[in-house]
Amino acid sequence: MKVDLGDLNAFVTVARARGFRDGARASGASASGLSEAVSRLEAQLGVRLLHRTTRSVAPTEAGQRLLERLGPALTEVETALDVVNSFRDRPAGTLRLNVPISAVRLVLPAIVPGFLAAYPDIELEVTAEDTFVDVLAAGCDAGIRYGERLEQDMIAVPIGPRVQRFATAASPAYLDRHGRPDHPRDLLTHACLRGRFSYGPTPLWEFEREGETVHVDPKGPLLISMGTATDLAIDAAIAGTGIIMLFEDWLRPHLDSGALEPVLEPWWLSFPGPFLYYPGHRLVPAPLRAFIDFIKEPME
């Protein structure tokens, strides 16, 4: 059976976007064109691939199976076509990155403008989420994560600050009313603004000083989804609702302005910075190779 590659690509685009309009925005194609391509593919295969309602689109069981196999396969096709990039004066194409929301806020702003200026023929697509995904299955070339969440068969390249810290802070007004903690365990009597990731329980707050490590499980009036709702927690902290723990760089503008005051700064935990990671068992696409070279340049 000979199936049009464009129709397969249209199906993958719509299935990942969970909608024809969102798929059109992601791909630059028209929603009607994607719909026609998927219908044509379903007719040729003789099986429905997508459940369609007025509000959403989701793969059928057959569509999900096809999507799981097609994602990596289409990525390999793109990689094969990318070989011709080596014959160009400068690399071109699309670079797709999957990164945590913290990296969008703290790492990429210092890199992306310069990279795009240096490589005007490369289009950068960034998907921000805090779940750990198979970058190939997700249709991405590479991702950004921290070392403890990297798989062994991945190649990792340092990106962004090499040392970061978690900071705790609160508004001066809150601390004037409730007192300033002297030890991490004092947080158990304070209102704390906590966050959790979608893939696990609410994490403990960790502190370290002169070889002593302390974990506390603070309580408070606000629990947010890390990344997507982080700015809400920051706003609440500035308004005097409680004490927040977050990347120091994320809080730094508010610490410098005085809107927030450092809490337990001698206990702030340091940890290694993030890595750009990509599969080591495939050819590196030219846009990704250019990005790797670009982020390595300042370190050499």
Side-chain angles (χ1 to χ4, degrees):
M1 179 184 297
K2 187 175 182 180
V3 176
D4 185 88
L5 187 61
D7 291 350
L8 291 172
N9 198 51
F11 161 70
V12 171
T13 298
V14 173
R16 285 175 175 164
R18 291 296 196 269
F20 289 96
R21 290 183 179 178
D22 289 341
R25 281 193 289 268
S27 64
S30 68
S32 61
L34 290 175
S35 179
E36 291 173 4
V38 173
S39 295
R40 188 165 52 242
L41 179 62
E42 289 178 325
Q44 189 170 2
L45 295 178
V47 63
R48 181 172 291 277
L49 300 174
L50 297 174
H51 292 299
R52 302 167 175 83
T53 70
T54 56
R55 294 187 176 183
S56 65
V57 172
T60 63
E61 183 178 355
Q64 185 61 38
R65 295 284 184 87
L66 181 61
L67 180 63
E68 291 169 357
R69 299 296 294 271
L70 275 181
L74 289 176
T75 299
E76 290 301 321
V77 170
E78 291 180 1
T79 300
L81 294 174
D82 186 65
V83 170
V84 301
N85 247 331
S86 61
F87 295 93
R88 295 173 54 93
D89 292 334
R90 57 190 183 191
T94 301
L95 171 61
R96 298 178 178 88
L97 300 180
N98 183 284
V99 307
I101 295 171
S102 60
V104 172
R105 189 69 176 262
L106 306 178
V107 176
L108 292 184
I111 296 172
V112 167
F115 172 72
L116 295 179
Y119 297 97
D121 294 332
I122 293 178
E123 178 182 350
L124 179 62
E125 292 184 10
V126 177
T127 299
E129 56 186 348
D130 284 303
T131 55
F132 190 80
V133 301
D134 181 331
V135 289
L136 285 183
C140 296
D141 301 296
I144 296 177
R145 291 294 184 271
Y146 287 85
E148 70 274 9
R149 298 183 61 201
L150 293 178
E151 298 178 11
Q152 292 184 351
D153 62 344
M154 293 290 177
I155 295 177
V157 180
I159 185 171
R162 299 323 309 142
V163 178
Q164 294 181 277
R165 289 198 300 177
F166 282 124
T168 40
S171 71
Y174 172 87
L175 296 172
D176 288 343
R177 290 196 308 270
H178 300 281
R180 288 162 173 78
D182 295 317
H183 190 277
R185 295 189 184 91
D186 295 340
L187 295 173
L188 297 175
T189 62
H190 281 267
C192 293
L193 313 177
R194 299 166 299 152
R196 67 180 174 194
F197 296 102
S198 59
Y199 53 81
T202 305
L204 301 177
W205 285 11
E206 183 176 357
F207 299 87
E208 186 177 58
R209 182 181 185 183
E210 297 176 354
E212 180 185 0
T213 300
V214 178
H215 294 86
V216 296
D217 186 12
K219 306 300 178 184
L222 180 64
L223 177 63
I224 56 98
S225 174
M226 290 297 293
T228 54
T230 299
D231 286 338
L232 172 62
I234 295 175
D235 291 342
I238 292 172
T241 306
I243 298 174
I244 187 172
M245 171 178 275
L246 192 61
F247 291 96
E248 178 186 1
D249 293 339
W250 207 326
L251 294 179
R252 178 49 56 191
H254 308 294
L255 294 169
D256 290 344
S257 71
L260 291 176
E261 179 181 321
V263 172
L264 298 170
E265 185 169 2
W267 288 89
W268 289 359
L269 180 70
S270 298
F271 55 95
F275 295 86
L276 178 79
Y277 73 99
Y278 58 96
H281 59 270
R282 55 172 294 206
L283 293 175
V284 178
L288 177 56
R289 172 52 59 193
F291 189 74
I292 293 169
D293 292 341
F294 186 82
I295 64 173
K296 280 184 174 180
E297 207 169 76
M299 297 184 294
E300 295 177 349

